[in-house]
Amino acid sequence: MSDLIKKVTALLNDKTINAFIGYEKGSANRIRAIFVRTEDQVQKLILNASCTQNLTGYLMKHEVKKLGKLGILANVAALRSIMQLASEFQIKDGEVYVLFANADGSLTEFTDFKSIETFLQTTDTGIKSEEQEMIAKLEAMTVNERWLFWNKEFEKCIKCYACRAACPMCYCHRCTTDVNQPQWIPVASHELGNLDYHLMRAMHLAGRCVNCGECATACPMDIPLNLLTYQLISPIKATFDATAGMKADAMYALSTYKPDDKENFII
Amino acid sequence: MQEFEPKIVAFVCNWCTYAGADLTGTSRIKYSANVKIIRFPCTGRIDFMILMKAFENGADGIIVSGCHPNDCHYSTGNFHARRRWIVFRNLLNFTGIDTERIQFSWVSAAEGFKWADVVNNTVKKIKEIGPYENYNKIAVSTLFNEEGATNE
Amino acid sequence: MSRIGVFVCHCGENISATVNCEKVAKITGELKGVEFATDYKYMCSDPGQTLLKEAIKEHKLDGVVVAACSPRMHEPTFRKACAEAGLNPFLCEMSNIREHCSWVHPKDDLTTEKAQDLVRVMVEKVKKNKALNSIKVPVTKTALVVGGGIAGIQAALDIANCGHKVIMVERQPSIGGHMSQLSETFPTLDCSQCILTPRMVEVAQHPNITLHTYSEVESVDGFIGNFKVKIRKKSKSLDEHLCTGCGLCTTKCPQKKIPNEFERGLGFRPAIYVPFPQAVPNKPVIDREHCTYYIKGKCKVCEIVCPTKAIRFDQEDEVIDVAVGAIVMATGFDVLKTDYFPEYGYGKYADVIDGLAFERLASASGPTQGEIRRPSDGQIPKKIVFVACAGSRDPAKGIEYCSKICCMYTAKHAMLYKHKVHDGIPYVFYMDIRAGGKNYEEFVRRTIVEDETQYIRGRVSTIYEKNGKLIVKGADTLMGGIPIEIEADMVVLATFFAEAHPKLKPVETNTAGIFLAGACQAPKDIPESVAAASGAAVKVAALFSNDELTRDPLVAVVNRSAPPVYSQCVGCFLCQSVCPYQAIEREEIKNRNGEVIKTLARVNEGLCQGCGTCVALCRTKAIDIHGYSNQQVYTEIMALLND
Amino acid sequence: MEKQLKILKYSDLSKLIEKFRSQGYPVLAPVRKGKVVEIEQVQSLDEIALDVLLSTQSAKKAAFPKVEKVLEYTLEKSGTKQFPVDPADYKETILFGVRPCDASGFKSLDAIFGEEPKDQFYLEKKGKSTIISFSCPVADEYCFCTSVGGGPGNTAGSDLQFTGISKEEILVEILTEKGEKLAATFADLLTDAGKDIDKSKFLADVKVVFDVDGVVEKTTASFNNTALWLEQSLRCIGCGACAFVCPTCACFDFQDEQNTKKGVRLRLWDSCGFSLFTLHTSGHNPREVQSQRWRQRIMHKFAYMPEQLHVVGCEGCGRCSRACPVDMNIKEHLTAIGEKVIV
Amino acid sequence: MDQQNIYQPYLMEIEKITEEAPMVKTFRLKFKNEEEGNNFSFHTGQFGEYSVFGEGEVTFCVASPHTRKGYIECTFREAGRVTSELASLNEGDTIGFRGPYGNIFPIDDWKGKSLLFIAGGIALPPMRSVIWSCLDKRDQFKDITILYGAKSVADLVYKDELAEWKERPDVKLVTTVDPGGETPDWKGEVGFVPTILDRMTPISENTIAIVCGPPVMIKFTFPILEKYGFADGQVYTTLENRMKCGLGKCGRCNVGKVFVCKDGPVFTRTQLKELPDEY
Ligand SMILES: Cc1cc2nc3c(=O)[nH]c(=O)nc-3n(C[C@H](O)[C@H](O)[C@H](O)COP(=O)(O)OP(=O)(O)OC[C@H]3O[C@@H](n4cnc5c(N)ncnc54)[C@H](O)[C@@H]3O)c2cc1C
Ligand SMILES: Cc1cc2nc3c(=O)[nH]c(=O)nc-3n(C[C@H](O)[C@H](O)[C@H](O)COP(=O)(O)OP(=O)(O)OC[C@H]3O[C@@H](n4cnc5c(N)ncnc54)[C@H](O)[C@@H]3O)c2cc1C
Ligand code: SF4
Ligand code: SF4
Ligand code: SF4
Ligand code: SF4
Ligand code: SF4
Ligand code: SF4
C-alpha cells in the first residue's frame, strides 16, 4: 500500500476530510481526476510522473464543494493556484487539506497557507524551457509574423471554452464572454470573436496565471494559448515585482501600483 | 488617389486631457481633425477591451491620455491605468498587434499645446504606417461581405 | 428606438465660422432615433434654453444632445434646463464641437464631418443613458474640529455660532496651539495671549462646543455628511468634574525638574501640571512618564493635597464614538526636529535655539519673564544671529518651498531683541525677504532701519562653538559671496515648520466633507490661519444648511439579481483594492439559517466618487458606473467609428 | 439503389482530386495541423491526411458550420430591411476521406434539421455535399461504433465509400445516386471489382462493448438517478469540447452582430454542457449543476432522440472522449449504464 | 424554388405601446406586409420569437386573443439584453416576429365548463389571451372567475382591462396584492394568491383551472386546487424554458423528452407530473 493510499485512508477515516481529489488511471494511458470518498476509490489512487494535472479547478466546482471538506493532491502549480485563489478570497485558510507530492514521491502535508507560502519561496516556479524557447522564438519574429502565427492558431479555436473551464483561475460565474450587455466579446467563433476572447482572457489572467498549463493541455485544438499568459509573467515580475500565487494575502499586480512604476511609452 | 485619412479615437480622462484639449481649443491651436475624443471620468476607467473595440470597429490609431502621475483627480486612477497599459501593450505586441498605433500620453489641463502635438504627431505617424489592414480584415464589418461567415 | 433631440449651437460665430451647423443638424436629424434636430445661435442663452425646453415638451423627447461648447462649461446649464422641462437631467449629453472642433480645425468639410461624428456619438450614447436620481445623503449636523490652535478655535466658534454642534479634539492638555506660545505678533506687536485667551475661554463656554483635550482621533470612517469617528481620550488621571483648577497639586508635586515643552525646554514643570497659566481647560493632567507614583509606585502627594479628591490614578483611556457630518482639520504645524540641522549645532549647543523658544524668551510670561537671556548661562546676548529659512527652500532637506512666515517672525524677533537689548547687535541671514501682506514690508524695513538689524543675504554653512562663543560661518551673496564669520552669543534658527497631517486614511486623499484650516494646510501666519478657518467654517455651515446632501449619481454599482445567483460578482474584491475612496464594501448574503452563502461587493454611494477604476478591473463586469457605463462607452466607440 | 463495386488505384487518387477541383467542386478533406486534424478545403492530395484515425472535429461543419449567417439586415431610420440569406446559394461540395462515423453522423442531424419545419440551411448544404468516406483500417480504444449500430465499414450516410484493399488498390463502393453521379465523372479511373470482395478483412476490429437497446432502455429510466449522474460527472468541467467535436451534436444559438447600420444574425454551435445554456435572465436555471447537464447530454442522445427521432444520437466515434480535457470517456460511462440494474 | 428560411421573422410595426407597470410594457404589433398579416393566424397559448435587430430574439407568448385579428400584442418585462432594448423602442419602430409556435389552450374542449383563471405577476399576459378568447365566446362557458395577484398595486398589469372585467357581470374578478404592497385606496384583497384562492373555496366540479405565475406561486397553488378536488387533468399551466429557435431544434428548452417549444408551452398538471423536474 502506497504512502498516499495510507495517508488518504487515514484522513478519510478520522474525518479530517470527506473527499480527496487525486489521480487515477484513465483511458488510453491518460491520468485523470478521482474524487475519493470510499475504500475502493482509495485503492485507485495513483501517483507518478504523469500526474501533472492541476486539480485545483475542482475546488471551485459546486458539486465538488458539496462533497464536504476536501483534500487535494497538489503539485507546485496547484499550490500556487491555491495561494492565488486565497488572495482573491475564494478559499479560506484551513478550508482545504493539501498533500504535496515531492519529486521523490514522498508527501508533504500543508494544512495552512503560511506553510505553503514558506514552501513556495524556495521552489522553482518558472516555466518549462520548451515554453521559454517558444516564447523567445515568437518574440524574435516581426510583429506581422506574430500576427500571422496567432491568426493561424486562433483560427483553429472552436470556442469550446475548455481552456477556461480547465483554468483554476477562471472561476467567474459569468465570464466576460458571457456578458451580453454589451456583448463585449462576440460569441461567434469567427476570427474576431476568437481573437477577442483570447486577448480578453489573457489580460484577465495577466498577473494571476500560475503557469500550470492546464488551458493549453485542455485545448482540443492544440492551441498554445498558455504562451499568451506565460509571456506576461516575466514583464510583470520585472516591472512590478509581482508573481502570481506566491502568497495568500498578496495584492494583485494590476490592482496595485507604485507611483514610480516605470514605463517608456507614455509621452 | 485620395490621401489616406486615418480614423483615430482618443480616450481621455475628464479632468486633465479633456480639459487640456478644451484649452487647446480656447487657445485656438490648430490640429488635425482625424482625432475624435471619447470622454471618460478617469484613465482608470479605460478598460483594455475599449481599445480592442476601437480597432475592430475600424480605428487605425488610438490615443489614450490622462493626468500626469500624481495629478489624478481621483489620486490613483492613472497609476492603475499605467500598470494596465504596461501589461496590455506587452500582450498586444506578443499577439502581433501593432502597438505603434496606440499612443499613450499624459496631458494636463494646462497643456493645450501638448495636446495638439500629441494629436498631430499621432496622425502623422499613422498616416505613415497606413490603414490597419490586419485588423480591418477581421473587423465586424467583414461579416457583411459576401464571404462573410456563411459557408465555410 | 428613442426620441432624441439634437440642438446644434452656433455659439455666435464661434462654431459656425468653421462648422456648417445647419448641415450638422440636418444630417444628424436623419440618424435613427433622432426625433428633432435644429441649430440655434446661442443655445445657452435664455431663448436657446427655452427652445430646448419647448422642443422637449412638444416632441416628447426622451434624450437630448446639445452640440456646443465643452460639457465642462455648460453641462450643468443644459441638464438643468432639461430638468425644468420635465426630462431627467441625466438624459442630456453634450457634444463638444467648439473647443474640440470648430476652434481647432479650419473651415472645411472635414471639420463639419467631425462635428457630425461627435454628435452621432452622443446620440448613440444618450440612447443608453438611464434616468438617474441624485443621491441623497443625510447630514449629521455636527462638526469635528481636530486641533485647538487659533485656526481650530476660529473654525469651531464660527460653526458653533451658526448654531451647529462642534466637537473639538485637542492633543495637548490645553487648547491654544502655537499661538499661545508667541510673545507678540507681527506686524502690530500685539500681545498674543491677550488676543487668544478670550477666544479659548469662549470655546470652553460655548454651549454648542464639546471640548476633548488630551485626546486624539483614532479613526474616521464613513463619508461626507456621515462620518463615524473614534476619539481616544487619554487618561488625565483626574476627575475633571471634581477638579476646581486650584493648582495645589501642581505646587506640591515633588517632581519639579521636567523640561517644559510649552517653554520649549527653557523652563521646568512638575509631573502634574497645567501647560501654561491661561490654559483652557485650566485643569492639570498627570504626565505618567514622569510621575513618581507611576514610576516607583509610591507618592500620591497630589491625591493627598487635593481638596476635592479629584485625582484618579487608575483612570484609563476612554474611547468614544461620535457621529459627525464634516471634519475640519486644524492640526497646525510642528517645528522641524533638531536632527535636521546637525551643521548648525541645533540640539548640541544650548544657545542655538529655534524661533519658538525665542518667543518664550521674549514673552513676559515666559521662563525669563520676558528678558532675553541665553539658556546656557543666563547672560544677555550681545550679538545674536537669526538664521532665516533654516531648512526650508532646501531641496537637500526635501523641502523646496518657503515656509513663508519666517521672514516675518525673524524680523519680529530682531525687533523684539533690539527693544529689549538696546546695545545688542542682531544679524539676520536670509535668502529672500518675503513680506507680502499689509504693513509687512514696512515692518521689515523698520527692523532694518530703526532697529539697525544687520541683514545678510546668504546661507549659513556651519555653526560651531569656540571659547564660549558661537561661530557662525556663511557667505554674503550680495557682496559677491565673500565669506563671513560672526562670533555670536546666541543663534536663533527660523526653522521651517512642517504641516502636521495626521495620517488618517481618508484624510490622506481628497475626501469630500473634510476641510483643512490653518497651518496644517500650508505655512500660514495667524491672520491667514484665521481666514482659512473661517473659510472652512463657511463650507461646513453650507454643508449643514441642508438636511440632505445631493450628489451627482454618477457612481459605481454592483449588479444584483435574483437568487440563486444574487449577482454576477464573484467576490474577488480586486475592485476593493483599486478604489481610492474605500467605497467598496463587502456584503454577505445569508441563507435562512444565517450561513453566508455568497460574499459580494457593494459600492457605498456616499463614498464613491465615480472614477470607474473598479469598473475597468472587474472581470465579470459585475460592477458598472452610471454615466460612463459599459453599454454607453461601447456604443460610443461603435458610433464614432461607423458612420 | 443497388450498390456497385469498383476498383481505384491509390496512384490515381491525386488525379481524382484534380478532377474534382477542375470541375469546380470544393473538396473538404482531413488536413493535419500539428497535433490536430481538421476537415478543410484542399487543393491537392498531398494536403490530405488519409492515414489519420479520425479528424479531431467531425465532418458536420460541412453542413452545419460553427458560425453561419442566417439573416442580414440594415438598420435605418426608415425601418429595418432584411436580406435573407438564401440557402440555395450554396455550392456543391465533396467531403473526401471522412470516416464512416462522420458520414453516418449526418443521420442524426438529418433527423433534427429535417423534421418539420425543415431547416434549409442545413438540408441544402447537406444535400449539396457528396460524401466519400474511407472505411477504417484501424481503431483505437475510444472507438465503439459497433456498439451503436455502426462499424468501421459502415456505409450508412456515405455516397461513396473507399476501402484500401491492398497497397495499390482501393475498393470503391458506389452507394447512392449522388455517388453514382459523382463516380461517373471519374469513371475513367475506375475498373470493375469482383462482386465477392470481402471488405471486412480490411477493416479494424472494433469490439461491441454494450447492447445499445439495453443502454437506451436504461438511460431512459435513469432520469431521476441523481447519484449516477453526479458520480459520472464529478470530473466534468462543463466545457463544450465534447459537443463541438461530436458529429451528431446539433444544439445551436443565435447571436446578432452589428455595427450601427448593418447587422447579421448568426447561428453558432452551442453546448448543453455550458451552464449558461439554459439559464434564464432571472438567474433560475432548470439545469443548475453539471450533473444535470451531463445527464442531458447522455439522455438526449440515448433516450430522447431514439424515442422522438428514432435515431441514437451517437455514432461511437469517441471524439468526445478524445477531446475531453478531463477524460470523460463516454464509452466507459455508457458501458456502466448498460451494466446497471434498473431499480 | 421558394426557399423558406424558417428563422426569418416577419417585420412588424409597433403600433401602440402601453406602460403596464414599472418595467412592464405592452406592444401592439402590426404586420408591415399586409398580406402576411392576412395569412397569419394563431391560437391562444402560443408564443413567438420577437427580434430586436442587432440584439437578438426573445420569447414571449402572444398576449392578445386569437379571436381578434389584424394585430398581435405582447407584454414583457424588461430583463436582459433584448428586452431592455425592446423597452427603449417607440411607436412606429420595426421589430421582427417569428411564430406562432407551440401548442394551445384547448378552449374548445372547455365548452360548457366553468373557468377559473389564477395568475400572478407578469404571468397575466399569457393568461390574458385565453381570458379574452373565452370572453369573446362568453356564452360557451359557465362561470368565469379570475384571480390575479401582484407584488404591489403598481405591479398589476392591464389595469384598464381589470377595471373592465370588474364591471362585467359575467366575470368574477378577484385582485390581490402581497401584504405590504397595498395602497391606502386599494379595494382588492391583500394576501398571496394561494391564500386568497383558499379563502375563495373554489368549486372543482365541471371547472377548468388555468394557473400561470412564478414557480413559487404555482408550487403553493396546486395543493390548494387539489384540496378542493381539482383533478390533475382539470389544471392547466404554461412553462417557460429558455429557447432560441422555438422550433424544436436548438436543443435547450426540453424538459426530459418534451420540448416546451413544440410540445408546450401549455401543459396539464397530469402531463407535468410525468415530466422530470427540469423547468
Ligand atoms: C516662531 C514663530 C513665530 C510666529 N510668529 C507669528 C507672528 O508674530 N504673527 C503671526 O501672525 N504668526 C506667527 N507665527 C505663525 C502662527 O504661529 C501660526 O500661523 C498659527 O499658530 C497657526 O495656527 P494653527 O491653529 O493653524 O496651528 P497650531 O497653532 O499649530 O495649532 C494646532 C493645534 O492642533 C493640535 N493638534 C495637532 N495635531 C493634533 C491631533 N492629531 N489631534 C488633536 N490635536 C492636534 C496641536 O496640539 C495644536 O494645539 C509664528 C510661528 C512661529 C513658529
Ligand atoms: C414560452 C415562453 C413565453 C414567455 N412569455 C413571456 C411574456 O409573455 N412576457 C415576458 O416578459 N417574458 C416572457 N418569457 C420570458 C422571456 O423570454 C425572457 O424574459 C426573455 O427571453 C429575456 O430575454 P433577454 O434577452 O432580455 O435577457 P437575456 O438575459 O439578455 O437573454 C439571454 C437569453 O436567455 C434566454 N432567456 C432568459 N430568460 C428566459 C426566460 N425566463 N425564459 C426563457 N428564456 C429566457 C433568452 O432566450 C435569451 O436568448 C417567456 C418565455 C417563454 C419560454
Ligand atoms: S480550448 Fe482551445 S478550442 Fe476551446 S476555446 Fe480554448 S482555445 Fe478555443
Ligand atoms: S491560464 Fe492556463 S496556465 Fe495559467 S493558470 Fe489558467 S490554466 Fe493554468
Ligand atoms: S465587483 Fe467584480 S472585481 Fe469586485 S468583487 Fe465583484 S467580481 Fe470582483
Ligand atoms: S468608481 Fe472609483 S470611487 Fe467609485 S467604487 Fe469604483 S473605484 Fe471606488
Ligand atoms: S457522443 Fe461522442 S462518441 Fe458519440 S458521436 Fe458524439 S463524439 Fe462520437
Ligand atoms: S464531458 Fe469533457 S468535454 Fe464534455 S463538457 Fe465535460 S469536461 Fe467538457
Side-chain angles (χ1 to χ4, degrees), chain D residues 225-247:
Chain D
N225 193 340
T226 322
L228 167 82
W229 303 117
L230 179 66
E231 199 53 46
Q232 289 205 346
S233 69
L234 265 177
R235 217 166 36 232
C236 172
I237 53 177
C239 65
C242 49
F244 289 180
V245 298
C246 174

Side-chain angles (χ1 to χ4, degrees), chain D residues 200-327:
Chain D
S200 65
K201 294 195 294 210
F202 308 105
L203 300 178
D205 175 25
V206 182
K207 296 257 169 347
V208 175
V209 288
F210 57 77
D211 162 38
V212 69
D213 295 334
V215 167
V216 167
E217 189 189 328
K218 286 175 180 163
T219 307
T220 311
S222 298
F223 188 95
N224 289 321
N225 193 340
T226 322
L228 167 82
W229 303 117
L230 179 66
E231 199 53 46
Q232 289 205 346
S233 69
L234 265 177
R235 217 166 36 232
C236 172
I237 53 177
C239 65
C242 49
F244 289 180
V245 298
C246 174
T248 68
C249 276
C251 293
F252 61 81
D253 183 10
F254 286 128
Q255 286 291 332
D256 280 22
E257 281 181 23
Q258 56 146 0
N259 60 26
T260 38
K261 287 220 161 143
K262 283 188 191 160
V264 286
R265 182 157 298 158
L266 303 175
R267 171 173 44 198
L268 319 168
W269 289 349
D270 208 338
S271 165
C272 59
F274 293 144
S275 60
L276 247 69
F277 191 63
T278 50
L279 179 75
H280 291 196
T281 316
S282 64
H284 171 66
N285 194 346
R287 295 200 272 270
E288 185 84 58
V289 287
Q290 202 56 34
S291 53
Q292 293 168 332
R293 295 173 210 133
W294 169 254
R295 172 181 68 194
Q296 165 67 12
R297 178 166 171 74
I298 298 298
M299 293 204 61
H300 193 199
K301 292 180 182 302
F302 289 89
Y304 312 150
M305 283 180 61
E307 183 171 341
Q308 306 217 308
L309 302 170
H310 314 292
V311 286
V312 171
C314 171
E315 296 303 325
C317 68
R319 278 192 176 87
C320 53
S321 318
R322 289 185 202 92
C324 177
V326 293
D327 194 27

Side-chain angles (χ1 to χ4, degrees), chain A residues 89-90 171-172 176 208 255, chain C residues 570 572 577 586 598 619-620:
Chain A
F89 307 100
Q90 305 299 313
Y171 55 77
C172 297
T176 307
R208 301 172 60 240
S255 67
Chain C
V570 283
C572 64
S577 54
R586 281 160 188 258
K598 200 164 173 178
R619 301 189 303 270
T620 63

Side-chain angles (χ1 to χ4, degrees), chain E residues 121-141:
Chain E
I122 172 78
L124 185 60
M127 192 86 97
R128 173 201 189 216
S129 170
V130 212
I131 296 177
W132 275 121
S133 298
C134 297
L135 290 178
D136 286 352
K137 303 177 185 168
R138 183 65 190 86
D139 49 341
Q140 297 184 356
F141 308 99

